[in-house]
Amino acid sequence: GGFRYVSPDEARESLTGANTKKALVAVILDHKRKGMGSVGMYGAGIVTFALNKLAKLGSAERGPVGEDRRSFYAAANALFARAHKLLGSLTPRGISSVLHSGAILSRNDTTLFVSLAKRAVSEGILGNFTTQGMSNLLWSFGKLGLRHNESTSAILQLCTYVDSQPPASNLSVANFNAMDIANCMSGLGSLGIDEDATPLIATLLEAANKPEMLTAFSEVLLSQ
């Protein structure tokens, strides 16, 4: 009755070719209906790719209404549910990406986001974020307003780790650019995390106050 296997390569190709929100939602929901080729068979890379694209198109285009709105959230629900099932397979980039997509889409999924926070500080993950990934992570936590005890503990652990890194480390604040600093400060500020909670705040402010860094801040970044 119309069923046809959709391979991972075909799934990614069709997702890549969907350049409007409506087209992307249609592709995701079509895959959701197709057994072996469904969203339930997406690997971690395809899930994060699809979520990134859905968040990007969702924020760039006018909000969905009526049936389009129901379809949009059905597609988002399928992707986030799949991301949760793939939690143990998500790389640092994948963790940051899923959280960032959730923040952009104003997703309400505390269970998933707390699990992602705990995954972010797990062995083999914590030391492998890029500066952009880490700053996106902290910005996303703030945008999501994630104040659960377990997530706050994980966020403070992230802060302690970053603050302890020597200048030669990829995750040293010395290697943060203006946007990285602004995103971290915005996220921590939104969560009410101050200098009393983590010395990373002082380290970020010190980095931001360097003459060469001050000139790199746009008005938008300074407002954060």
Side-chain angles (χ1 to χ4, degrees):
F3 169 79
R4 186 178 71 82
Y5 171 75
V6 180
S7 71
D9 286 344
E10 287 179 293
R12 183 178 283 274
E13 184 178 353
S14 56
L15 289 166
T16 301
N19 293 318
T20 66
K21 180 166 53 183
K22 188 170 184 177
L24 181 62
V25 166
V27 168
I28 294 167
L29 293 182
D30 181 54
H31 291 168
K32 183 174 180 288
R33 288 188 289 266
K34 289 181 175 176
M36 285 295 289
S38 72
V39 170
M41 293 301 290
Y42 281 7
I46 295 181
V47 168
T48 53
F49 173 78
L51 275 172
N52 274 335
K53 192 161 188 177
L54 191 67
K56 182 177 180 180
L57 291 175
S59 62
E61 299 178 23
R62 190 166 60 90
V65 296
E67 185 60 37
D68 286 345
R69 180 182 180 86
R70 285 187 288 275
S71 295
F72 181 87
Y73 285 108
N77 289 343
L79 292 175
F80 281 110
R82 184 61 180 157
H84 203 163
K85 288 186 177 180
L86 291 169
L87 189 66
S89 302
L90 291 175
T91 62
R93 181 178 181 178
I95 293 166
S96 178
S97 181
V98 172
L99 277 163
H100 192 257
S101 298
I104 294 295
L105 294 172
S106 300
R107 178 80 178 175
N108 181 14
D109 196 338
T110 301
T111 301
L112 171 61
F113 299 142
V114 170
S115 296
L116 286 168
K118 292 162 68 176
R119 168 79 174 157
V121 296
S122 62
E123 185 176 356
I125 296 294
L126 179 55
N128 291 303
F129 285 97
T130 63
T131 57
Q132 181 182 11
M134 181 61 72
S135 69
N136 281 344
L137 203 64
L138 294 177
W139 178 87
S140 299
F141 284 134
K143 181 76 163 55
L144 291 164
L146 206 59
R147 296 172 183 268
H148 190 281
N149 287 342
E150 288 182 287
S151 61
T152 299
S153 175
I155 292 165
L156 291 176
Q157 193 174 335
L158 288 170
C159 292
T160 298
Y161 183 84
V162 172
D163 195 53
S164 70
Q165 297 305 292
S169 169
N170 288 336
L171 266 183
S172 168
V173 173
N175 295 316
F176 279 28
N177 61 29
M179 181 169 286
D180 294 333
I181 293 172
N183 281 344
C184 288
M185 292 296 291
S186 174
L188 295 173
S190 295
L191 292 170
I193 294 175
D194 58 19
E195 289 179 74
D196 291 333
T198 175
L200 179 60
I201 299 289
T203 304
L204 290 168
L205 287 173
E206 182 181 355
N209 280 323
K210 291 181 178 178
E212 65 272 21
M213 187 62 74
L214 284 172
T215 60
F217 281 100
S218 65
E219 288 185 12
V220 174
L221 293 180
L222 283 172
S223 70
Q224 290 185 214

